[in-house]
Amino acid sequence: MENLQEQKKEALQAVGKYLKRLIPGLGTLCGELRGSRKEDTDVFQKQCIDGLNWVIEVYNRVSDMVDAKEMHMAKEEMNQHLTALGGAIQSKDDGKMADILENAVVPFLKDLEKAMKKTMEE
């Protein structure tokens, strides 16, 4: 059991490091989706969404170790936003994607980053 806890702690550390790059990257993506599209915006979007999916997958596996008081959005609510994000991606609705990322996903990730940091300090 101790080995599992160590693995979860390592996963938290990896996600914490990755969030330092993903959160600003999502901000950049939102700017591109709001009218500053570049040639590689679709590729960058896929990379960001893949990274987001990885973070969510790890979070789902280690959420029992994360300080829930730091999380201002319930998992169920976040799942609804992620479903809406998937729909916006499918319909190629850049504005809606940017809105969901800025107003739901990034705040969730910032809370997660704080919660993970607090967990690691304990």
Side-chain angles (χ1 to χ4, degrees), residues 22-37 41 44-45 48 85 94-107:
L22 180 62
I23 293 170
L26 289 172
T28 300
L29 176 61
C30 288
E32 290 184 20
L33 293 174
R34 293 205 185 281
S36 301
R37 262 192 171 273
T41 295
F44 183 51
Q45 175 188 314
C48 287
L85 178 62
D94 287 356
K96 188 173 183 180
M97 277 187 271
D99 286 345
I100 294 167
L101 289 170
E102 286 176 339
N103 299 316
V105 175
V106 169

Side-chain angles (χ1 to χ4, degrees), residues 55-111:
V55 168
I56 297 297
E57 184 178 323
V58 173
Y59 170 67
N60 285 334
R61 293 177 187 205
V62 299
S63 61
D64 61 317
M65 291 184 68
V66 175
D67 187 345
K69 291 177 275 187
E70 295 292 326
M71 302 303 295
H72 297 105
M73 186 183 306
K75 266 179 150 177
E76 297 76 22
E77 183 181 353
M78 188 60 200
N79 285 338
Q80 291 173 352
H81 290 298
L82 292 173
T83 299
L85 178 62
I89 291 169
Q90 273 191 317
S91 64
K92 299 186 187 297
D93 186 337
D94 287 356
K96 188 173 183 180
M97 277 187 271
D99 286 345
I100 294 167
L101 289 170
E102 286 176 339
N103 299 316
V105 175
V106 169
F108 176 83
L109 294 176
K110 286 180 178 179
D111 286 349

